[in-house]
Amino acid sequence: MTESPAPPATQPRSTSSPTAHVSARSVAAACAASGRFALAIIGPGALGLHFAARLEGVVPVALIARDAAAAARLRAGVEVDGRGFRPQAFGPEQAPEADWVIVLVKAGDTATAAATASRMRPLGVLSLQNGLTGELLRAHCAAPRVDQGITTEGAYRERGDRGDRVHPSGAGETLVPPGFEAVAELLVRAGLRARVAPDIAHARLAKLLVNAAINPLAALFRVPNGALLDPPHRVLLDTLVREALPVLRAQGLDLDEAAALARVHAVAHATATNRASMLQDMLAGRRTEIDAITGALLRMAADRAVDLPAHRAVHTLVCALEP
Ligand SMILES: NC(=O)c1ccc[n+]([C@@H]2O[C@H](COP(=O)([O-])OP(=O)(O)OC[C@H]3O[C@@H](n4cnc5c(N)ncnc54)[C@H](OP(=O)(O)O)[C@@H]3O)[C@@H](O)[C@H]2O)c1
C-alpha cells in the first residue's frame, strides 16, 4: 500500500466500449446462457475481493481462487467493506471462459495465474500487480493482449476464525494500457476511478520508483510509511530514490531529482499510517514482492552495467528475512 498518486489525466475517465451500453442484467443473462463471463479476476485477496465486490451489480465477475477449496469458502460468503459478499468463485481447474481477466495475485504467483488465464480464452489479460510482472505474464500467457496497468486503490485483508474480512484502505485510481478500454469502462461503472493511460509505461516506472524506495525500508525497519520521512530512515529513503533515478530515467521516466524525491515523499506522507504490503508480508511470514520491485530495478540496472549498491543491499536483506 505504498501506492503513488496517479499522474494527471491524459484522457477522459469514461471510455466507450460495447460492454458499456448493455445493462448488467442483459450481460448476466448472456453470461448465464454462454457460460462465458465478461470479466474475471484471478486472486481473491484484498484487492481482488475489493474490486469484485464493487463490480457486483455492474457485470458478472468470475473470481478465480488458488484452489477449489478456497473457491468453495468464498462462495459461502466473505465480508467486504462491512457487507456480506458471495462471489461466483472457481478453482483454477474449473475457471470459466472470460472476455477480460485481471490478475491480482502476489507477484510470486504470477506464472501460475498466467497459465490459468490462458485457459480462460480471454481477449485480454491485465495485471494490476505491484512490481514489474508484465513480461512474466506474457511469457506464460497466451492471449491476444497481455499487459500491465497500475492501481492506487487500497485494501487490506484481515484473516479471522470466521473467515476473511476485506477493508478498503483508500480510494485511488486505476490506469490501464490502451486496448483495455472495456476494463476501464467496467471499473468506472462500478464507481471506481479508472482510465486508459497512453503513457502507461511512464506510470509503471513512477510507481516502481515509489515502491522500490518505500516498501523495502518500511519492511526492514518495521515502521509505517510516514516514519520513513524522519531521521534516521529519511537519509536511506532519499538515497534509494537518487540511486534508482538515472536507471529509471534511462528507461523513460521523465522526472528530475527534485520531482522524484517530492513524489516519493508525497506518497509516504499521504500513506503515513499505512503499513506497506512488504511489511505486512514480512510480519505474516509470507514471501514478499521484493523480486518484482527491487529485483526488477536491479535487472534494469544490470542491463546497463550500472551498480545500485543501496538497492542491492536492501534486496539482500529482505531476501534474507523472507521465509
Ligand atoms: N492491497 C492493496 O492495497 C494493493 C494496492 C495496489 C496494488 N496491489 C497489488 O495487487 C496484488 C494483489 O495484492 P493483494 O493485497 O490483494 O494480495 P493478497 O491479499 O495476498 O491476495 C492475493 C490472492 O491471490 C491468491 N492466489 C495466489 N495464487 C493464486 C493462483 N495461482 N490462482 C488464484 N489465486 C491465487 C491468494 O490466495 P491465498 O490467500 O491462498 O494466498 C490471495 O487470495 C499485489 O501485486 C499487490 O502488490 C495491492
Side-chain angles (χ1 to χ4, degrees):
M1 286 184 285
T2 58
E3 289 34 271
S4 57
T10 55
Q11 192 161 311
R13 269 176 49 188
S14 184
T15 53
S16 64
S17 82
T19 327
H21 305 296
V22 289
S23 71
R25 195 172 293 174
S26 62
V27 173
C31 169
S34 69
R36 187 174 168 93
F37 281 73
L39 186 69
I41 297 176
I42 303 182
L47 212 53
L49 279 166
H50 170 58
F51 275 127
R54 292 295 295 266
L55 284 155
E56 193 192 25
V58 170
V59 66
V61 179
L63 202 53
I64 315 303
R66 184 188 285 280
D67 53 38
R73 282 195 296 278
L74 287 166
R75 286 196 300 274
V78 56
E79 190 180 307
V80 182
D81 199 9
R83 291 176 34 211
F85 175 47
R86 287 174 175 265
Q88 300 192 57
F90 304 84
E93 302 308 324
Q94 294 78 37
E97 291 188 5
D99 290 345
W100 301 98
V101 177
I102 300 178
V103 174
L104 277 171
V105 299
K106 284 283 171 67
D109 294 311
T110 302
T112 319
T116 303
S118 293
R119 292 198 298 275
M120 300 174 78
R121 303 170 63 87
L123 302 175
V125 178
L126 173 71
S127 161
L128 291 177
Q129 301 160 282
N130 276 332
L132 297 189
T133 58
E135 263 182 47
L136 184 60
L137 201 56
R138 268 189 287 277
H140 292 267
C141 189
R145 288 192 185 90
V146 182
D147 211 334
Q148 183 170 18
I150 64 162
T151 185
T152 56
E153 266 311 301
Y156 66 97
R157 188 164 45 148
E158 198 185 1
R159 294 177 193 255
D161 297 341
R162 280 187 262 151
D164 287 357
R165 287 178 177 173
V166 169
H167 307 277
S169 60
E173 188 175 29
T174 301
L175 306 186
V176 307
F180 289 88
E181 286 77 7
V183 177
E185 182 66 43
L186 291 172
L187 295 176
V188 168
R189 285 173 58 204
L192 296 159
R193 286 174 65 215
R195 64 184 171 87
V196 176
D199 58 347
I200 194 69
H202 189 270
R204 278 195 301 260
L205 290 173
K207 189 151 198 254
L208 185 67
L209 172 73
V210 170
N211 283 334
I214 294 179
N215 252 313
L217 293 184
L220 290 169
F221 289 111
R222 304 193 169 204
V223 293
N225 295 349
L228 299 176
L229 293 169
D230 299 325
H233 312 111
R234 171 71 166 259
V235 64
L236 284 168
L237 184 74
D238 291 358
T239 299
L240 290 181
V241 174
R242 290 195 179 96
E243 197 182 86
L245 195 57
V247 173
L248 294 175
R249 281 178 60 84
Q251 294 287 130
L253 180 67
D254 188 16
L255 290 179
D256 63 18
E257 187 176 297
L261 286 166
R263 183 175 284 235
V264 171
H265 295 166
V267 175
H269 186 71
T271 60
T273 57
N274 286 7
R275 289 197 304 179
S277 55
M278 200 173 285
L279 171 58
Q280 292 178 42
D281 286 341
M282 203 175 266
L283 292 175
R286 293 188 296 258
R287 194 162 42 140
T288 73
E289 294 187 298
I290 189 76
D291 197 56
I293 297 173
T294 307
L297 176 67
L298 290 172
R299 286 188 287 279
M300 277 178 198
D303 286 347
R304 296 174 181 278
V306 174
D307 189 23
L308 305 181
H311 286 278
R312 206 159 26 80
V314 296
H315 185 267
T316 305
L317 286 167
V318 171
C319 290
L321 292 168
E322 280 188 338

